[in-house]
Amino acid sequence: MKAAPASGNTDRTRAMDRDKVVEDQTSDRSVRAFALSADAAVAELGADPARGLSTAEVVRRRQIHGENTLKRREARSLLSMLLEQFRGILIWLLMGAAALSLVVGDIAEAIAIACVLLINTVIGFSTSWRATRSMEALYRLTDVTANVRRDGQVLALSAVDLVPGDIVLLDGGDVVTADMRLLEAANLFCDESALTGESLPVIKTTDPISDDALLADRANMAFKGSAVVRGTGLGLITATGMATELGNISNLAMEAEAQGFPLEKRLDKLGSDLVWLAVAFSALIALAGVLRGFDAFLMIETAIALAVAAIPEGLPVVATLALARGMLRMASRNVLISQLSAVETLGGTTIILTDKTGTLTENRMTVMGLLLPDREVGFEDEGELTDAADSELRAALEIAALCNTAELSAPGGNGGARGIGDPMEVALLLAAEDVGLHRPDLLSDRREMRRVPFDSDTKVMATIHETPGGSMAAVKGAPEAVLARATHLATEEDVVPLTDATKSGWLDWIDAVAGRGYRLIGLARKDGMGPEDDPFEGLTLLGFVSFLDPLREDVPPAIADSQAAGVRVVMMTGDHVSTAREIARSAGLGENDSIHAFTEHDLETLYEAEDGEVREEFLKADVFARVTPESKLRLVRNYQQAGHIVAMTGDGVNDAPALKQADIGIAMGQRGTQVAREAAVMVLKDDAFTSIIAAMRQGRVIFDNIRRFVAYLMSCNVSEIMVVGIAILIGLPAPLTPLQILFLNLVTDVFPAFALGLGEGSDDVMKRSPRNPETPIIPPRRWRDIGVFGVFLTCSTLTVYWLAINRFEMDETSATTVAFLALAVSQLIHVFNMRRRLEPLARNSVTANPYVWGAIVVSLALLAAACLLPALASVLELATPSWLQIQLVLAGSVTPLILGQIWLALTRGAED
């Protein structure tokens, strides 16, 4: 009588324990089911492979775990993106200047500054608009159906409705809709490249895996977001929604901090400097004027004018236009940039973390050669297998073509035909075609009777064929598995017994070739098979085929260019370390052919190390192999903490968090997932590493150009402040009105500055080391140049102004016109002082820039209009200049250019 309650309590306890296990899967993804046997995993999750979950149980579990969806991040509104255009101290300064102009009644001045703000906002908003987001791409991965066993029936259900414990039937072409422990797997291959970085489809098994196995090594699991390439399987769902590995990556992407671009930081720093400069100098001049007896209100008005003059109103517009122009140039080199400031940031990159497959390599498996009984074929000829008369070669490739499930899209060699199916099997068909062996022709004489699929336990597969001499088995598989089952060896003369000593020699040979980064498979046959014979016993070994995803031809020169520019290249890949090390060596990574490589397990030492020397040793690595999404993200952060500007390439879902965290995330346009493309700020349309180097050069050119036009604008603004301030201090009337200063800043100065921003750059731009990320746009030496040039412009302008008043006794309007035109024209030709000191005087990057000459012509035309058009001249308070005034203007304009060139020559060794 007492047993029943005990049994009931036990049942309830078991149910509660099962609920706890199922609930805990949200915090321990996949309940580490890969470490359990299939039966143990079923029991752990309270599942029934034969009938599936009941409807009531599904409802109960959904209440615990929710829908099988990924968490959404709230999309940015148009308003938030619009407000983003008003970030930055320079923009705030312009807004403040406009407000001050309104306060003192200078409506025209306020309107002019407002127009500048409007232009900058429109350009920035339209260029920065991003139509889609990385999270939206992740959500689309769940918009599929799955064949699920419930209440004893197989139902096609939306992926959203799946719960832990569901039994899912998998077939070729399916998208895996949740993380699942495989209970059955028949020739099941899954493409997990987007999650793990593994370039080839992964054969699946049902055997338990070590508890500490990495994600890429969990062969008994099928992961949400991966795809079934071929075969069939039965899976037990162990995790749904955000508890899946894909959900974990989604979390990482949301938690990763998008990095502010260095240019934005530098412009903000420059803006801060300008605030103090403007306030301090304006207050000093106002105080000095009051002390000399000038009207206090007049001095306050003058101080405001000087504050306006201190702010380069055209700088935000010119910077935005220069960056937009850089984006167009990069687009012509197959590089798309989604955020303006990223253009310049790329030029400051100090390290590139690059994917291997498709970026450094061609993303296609190629047969590189064969190991035959007495020789290697094909290695010296870079994979070109063209000796059609070689009987041993033909015999091996005949087996490779017969024991094959792929199909070619068209007949031809490696340069033409492509195929459908496993990349390695396609490569075998292409190699066979090279020596004239076409699979359809072979099958016409050797009809395929049956097929024994690849099995993860035996690691071999076979096709049985009917031949005139009887049945024959064509066998291929893992080298060790084929060699272990072989009893004979086919040589050119005869078939001879395969001794243990010979097998040992083959194993050494295989290890040596694998150590060079090649993947290998063995080829064998079995003749005279009976109906009940095991196709894998008593094999005759024919040889071994080596494969490689070939390095792109243009990669080694591009990496050499990168290293010459002082930028390190580090490979991060999901491939095995031996393969990665060989590709890295061929690409030219490392020093003196020495490649420092670490794996995921090694990285645990880095994360736990408090010793700076240990961390530094890891960060000197050339290769990181078998890395997880978390490790990619942590590596990016470690490099950033070490002071690097990090560019990272990626193409898969697993790359999204690190792409977002990197200073420059670079996604592949052809093979990249939409998740990766939208997490990145830069997309390579051609997936080529060389495009990164071209974009890096453009980024450096843009920074040089920005530094030039900022120095140009600042020297012009300094001269305007000094002209007005010194004139007041020595008792002269103000040479310039606030509106005239604004005209100079927004009209005549902007065109030459923009022309400087369009320069093509010098030839040695990629031979310099990367600039220090902390280096400001205007370093101390540049500030010295700005001050010196400002003095030259000021002295020249004040000299002609003083002559106009005291020597030639001109009225105030005529004298102001002389000062205005002298300063304007001298600022225009001052653009030629912006050449690099080491460049020649006559032929340099400024004089060779056609936009500079065009800008001068346009600006001179605008100056003429300001003096000759009555309405404009009236607003600016200018008079039509006489010949005498023009002579004064020309004399005052040329002097700063001559003095500037002398200064550049005297300080030639002070090049930045």
Side-chain angles (χ1 to χ4, degrees):
M1 293 294 294
K2 295 181 181 180
S7 175
N9 289 335
T10 300
D11 290 342
R12 283 193 295 272
T13 301
R14 287 175 179 170
M16 291 171 64
D17 289 344
R18 185 172 61 245
D19 291 347
K20 183 67 167 60
V21 168
V22 176
E23 186 172 0
D24 283 347
Q25 65 94 30
T26 58
S27 59
D28 186 10
R29 291 181 306 280
S30 303
V31 294
R32 308 196 76 76
F34 58 86
L36 304 176
S37 67
D39 290 341
V42 168
E44 190 79 8
L45 284 166
D48 183 351
R51 291 189 52 82
L53 297 176
S54 66
T55 301
E57 181 65 13
V58 168
V59 171
R60 192 180 65 83
R61 295 194 181 198
R62 187 174 295 120
Q63 290 175 344
I64 298 174
H65 305 290
E67 293 185 335
N68 180 28
T69 57
L70 298 179
K71 189 183 300 180
R72 286 180 176 267
R73 169 179 282 181
E74 186 177 348
R76 290 170 59 202
S77 66
L78 292 178
L79 177 60
S80 67
M81 281 186 278
L82 179 63
L83 294 176
E84 193 176 78
Q85 307 309 312
F86 293 93
R87 291 188 313 174
I89 293 177
L90 278 175
I91 299 298
W92 300 342
L93 283 176
L94 289 179
M95 295 170 67
L100 283 174
S101 298
L102 285 174
V103 169
V104 299
D106 290 331
I107 305 300
E109 190 173 311
I111 292 174
I113 297 176
C115 289
V116 172
L117 289 169
L118 178 62
I119 293 170
N120 187 72
T121 300
V122 170
I123 295 172
F125 179 82
S126 61
T127 309
S128 298
W129 167 252
R130 306 178 79 181
T132 52
R133 298 202 165 38
S134 57
M135 290 304 106
E136 293 300 321
L138 284 170
Y139 307 146
R140 281 193 287 275
L141 290 174
T142 64
D143 190 20
V144 292
T145 59
N147 293 319
V148 184
R149 186 171 289 160
R150 284 185 184 168
D151 291 319
Q153 297 180 332
V154 176
L155 306 173
L157 302 176
S158 170
V160 173
D161 297 329
L162 301 182
V163 297
D166 264 329
I167 302 298
V168 178
L169 286 71
L170 299 174
D171 202 353
D174 287 351
V175 173
V176 180
T177 50
D179 286 0
M180 55 189 73
R181 171 65 162 88
L182 294 172
L183 308 179
E184 298 176 10
N187 197 32
L188 183 65
F189 285 78
C190 290
D191 180 359
E192 297 176 348
S193 58
L195 283 168
T196 66
E198 174 63 56
S199 55
L200 294 176
V202 179
I203 178 68
K204 291 299 180 179
T205 181
T206 60
D207 298 330
I209 307 294
S210 170
D211 185 69
D212 61 352
L214 300 177
L215 180 68
D217 297 326
R218 298 174 191 173
N220 59 10
M221 296 291 298
F223 297 106
K224 182 180 180 69
S226 62
V228 178
V229 176
R230 71 168 187 260
T232 60
L234 187 70
L236 165 67
I237 292 182
T238 58
T240 57
M242 295 301 293
T244 62
E245 294 296 338
L246 183 61
N248 179 49
I249 294 172
S250 172
N251 257 331
L252 289 173
M254 288 189 288
E255 292 170 2
E257 298 179 5
Q259 299 301 296
F261 297 110
L263 179 62
E264 295 173 343
K265 299 173 185 176
R266 292 187 182 101
L267 286 176
D268 279 348
K269 177 65 170 61
L270 177 61
S272 299
D273 293 341
L274 289 179
V275 169
W276 295 110
L277 176 67
V279 171
F281 199 85
S282 300
L284 180 64
I285 295 298
L287 178 61
V290 171
L291 292 176
R292 287 185 60 87
F294 288 101
D295 180 72
F297 183 78
L298 176 62
M299 286 298 95
I300 293 174
E301 192 174 32
T302 302
I304 293 173
L306 290 174
V308 172
I311 302 170
E313 287 86 356
L315 179 55
V317 175
V318 174
T320 301
L321 289 174
L323 291 172
R325 171 67 175 171
M327 289 178 67
L328 292 177
R329 283 180 175 170
M330 289 187 181
S332 68
R333 294 298 304 267
N334 294 313
V335 177
L336 302 180
I337 301 287
S338 64
Q339 295 186 27
L340 281 178
S341 297
V343 176
E344 178 274 336
T345 304
L346 187 64
T349 298
T350 59
I351 191 165
I352 300 173
L353 305 179
T354 180
D355 187 21
K356 175 185 74 70
T357 306
T359 306
L360 302 181
T361 65
E362 296 180 5
N363 194 28
R364 63 179 180 88
M365 294 304 295
T366 300
V367 172
M368 299 302 293
L370 276 79
L371 309 185
L372 299 176
D374 57 352
R375 66 195 188 283
E376 294 182 15
V377 177
F379 287 100
E380 295 80 4
D381 299 322
E382 298 182 356
E384 294 295 329
L385 305 170
T386 55
D387 189 359
D390 189 323
S391 59
E392 285 185 309
L393 175 65
R394 290 180 63 84
L397 289 178
E398 180 179 302
I399 295 300
L402 288 172
C403 187
N404 205 303
T405 61
E407 295 181 6
L408 291 183
S409 55
N414 283 334
R418 300 313 310 159
I420 301 171
D422 182 274
M424 294 180 77
E425 292 198 329
V426 171
L428 289 173
L429 292 182
L430 292 172
E433 295 261 330
D434 280 343
V435 296
L437 296 174
H438 310 303
R439 188 167 190 271
D441 296 341
L442 293 174
L443 289 175
S444 65
D445 296 330
R446 301 164 182 80
R447 183 177 66 86
E448 184 177 316
M449 302 167 60
R450 66 187 176 95
R451 180 179 300 170
V452 181
F454 183 90
D455 184 89
S456 59
D457 293 327
T458 62
K459 293 183 171 54
V460 286
M461 71 168 288
T463 52
I464 316 303
H465 300 268
E466 184 179 31
T467 68
S471 297
M472 181 268 291
V475 178
K476 77 172 190 292
E480 296 82 0
V482 172
L483 190 61
R485 289 168 171 77
T487 57
H488 291 76
L489 176 67
T491 67
E492 191 169 7
E493 296 81 16
D494 200 1
V495 175
V496 298
L498 188 58
T499 65
D500 289 342
T502 306
K503 285 186 177 183
S504 179
W506 274 104
L507 285 173
D508 291 341
W509 196 2
I510 290 168
D511 289 341
V513 174
R516 285 143 62 182
Y518 295 102
R519 296 174 183 245
L520 293 103
I521 64 168
L523 299 173
R525 61 185 293 161
K526 181 175 182 178
D527 295 307
M529 278 191 58
E532 303 298 326
D533 285 353
D534 184 342
F536 302 127
E537 287 186 2
L539 299 178
T540 298
L541 179 66
L542 300 177
F544 298 87
V545 185
S546 63
F547 300 82
L548 195 67
D549 184 3
L551 194 70
R552 286 176 179 254
E553 290 183 2
D554 53 3
V555 163
I559 288 180
D561 290 343
S562 176
Q563 292 169 338
V567 180
R568 286 190 60 221
V569 179
V570 177
M571 181 196 300
M572 292 201 304
T573 178
D575 275 339
H576 287 281
V577 67
S578 59
T579 302
R581 182 181 279 111
E582 181 61 27
I583 289 293
R585 183 178 290 108
S586 302
L589 299 184
E591 296 181 3
N592 302 321
D593 242 12
S594 175
I595 301 297
H596 297 285
F598 297 104
T599 64
E600 174 68 22
H601 286 299
D602 298 328
L603 287 176
E604 292 302 320
T605 305
L606 168 64
Y607 303 144
E608 296 171 2
E610 297 182 1
D611 188 341
E613 292 185 5
V614 173
R615 297 175 66 85
E616 186 175 343
E617 183 65 26
F618 273 92
L619 296 181
K620 289 180 180 177
D622 304 301
V623 172
F624 292 103
R626 309 295 279 175
V627 288
T628 64
E630 291 92 340
S631 283
K632 290 183 179 182
L633 179 59
R634 293 172 77 174
L635 279 171
V636 170
R637 286 173 174 164
N638 271 276
Y639 279 112
Q640 288 172 332
Q641 290 167 5
H644 287 283
I645 297 295
V646 180
M648 178 188 163
T649 71
D651 60 353
V653 175
N654 64 329
D655 295 319
L659 287 173
K660 184 178 177 183
Q661 177 69 37
D663 297 283
I664 291 289
I666 305 171
M668 304 297 112
Q670 293 182 356
R671 62 186 173 82
T673 61
Q674 190 168 359
V675 177
R677 288 197 296 269
E678 294 176 2
V681 297
M682 174 173 157
V683 176
L684 304 181
K685 292 196 295 184
D686 57 1
D687 290 8
F689 186 82
T690 51
S691 295
I692 300 176
I693 306 304
M696 188 187 303
R697 182 190 186 280
Q698 189 61 43
R700 290 191 175 192
V701 169
I702 287 171
F703 181 79
D704 284 352
N705 291 343
I706 289 175
R707 177 171 278 181
R708 279 183 182 175
F709 70 63
V710 169
Y712 171 77
L713 288 173
M714 290 304 300
S715 57
C716 291
N717 281 60
V718 166
S719 66
E720 293 161 8
I721 296 172
M722 294 175 68
V723 164
V724 175
I726 294 175
I728 291 174
L729 288 176
I730 63 177
L732 293 174
L736 301 170
T737 68
L739 206 54
Q740 289 172 353
I741 292 173
L742 202 58
F743 184 88
L744 292 175
N745 286 353
L746 297 181
V747 180
T748 56
D749 290 352
V750 164
F751 289 102
F754 184 47
L756 289 173
L758 299 180
E760 296 291 339
S762 56
D763 294 335
D764 68 343
V765 69
M766 288 299 286
K767 296 178 182 177
R768 310 176 209 156
S769 297
R771 61 184 177 273
N772 188 322
E774 302 301 321
T775 299
I777 293 179
I778 305 296
R781 281 180 293 187
R782 290 274 178 164
W783 278 114
R784 181 190 62 184
D785 287 346
I786 289 171
V788 170
F789 290 140
V791 168
F792 292 160
L793 292 166
T794 300
C795 291
S796 177
T797 302
L798 286 178
T799 298
V800 297
Y801 182 58
W802 184 89
L803 289 172
I805 293 176
N806 296 301
R807 175 69 175 83
F808 299 105
E809 299 180 350
M810 296 181 187
D811 60 70
E812 187 174 338
T813 301
S814 296
T816 300
T817 301
V818 169
F820 172 79
L821 291 177
L823 183 57
V825 176
S826 62
Q827 287 179 349
L828 285 180
I829 60 179
H830 167 56
V831 72
F832 296 110
N833 288 330
M834 294 297 106
R835 67 176 176 87
R836 296 185 67 215
R837 285 175 166 81
L838 300 179
E839 291 181 320
L841 175 62
R843 184 68 180 176
N844 53 63
S845 56
V846 178
T847 57
N849 185 345
Y851 298 105
V852 167
W853 297 101
I856 291 174
V857 171
V858 170
S859 296
L860 287 173
L862 291 171
L863 286 174
C867 295
L868 300 178
L869 295 179
L872 187 55
S874 175
V875 171
L876 293 175
E877 301 180 43
L878 296 174
T880 303
S882 64
W883 172 239
L884 174 60
Q885 292 169 338
I886 292 175
Q887 287 179 299
L888 280 174
V889 168
L890 292 176
S893 302
V894 174
T895 303
L897 176 61
I898 296 173
L899 294 175
Q901 294 301 315
I902 293 173
W903 170 255
L904 292 176
L906 293 175
T907 57
R908 184 179 176 85
E911 187 71 69
D912 289 324

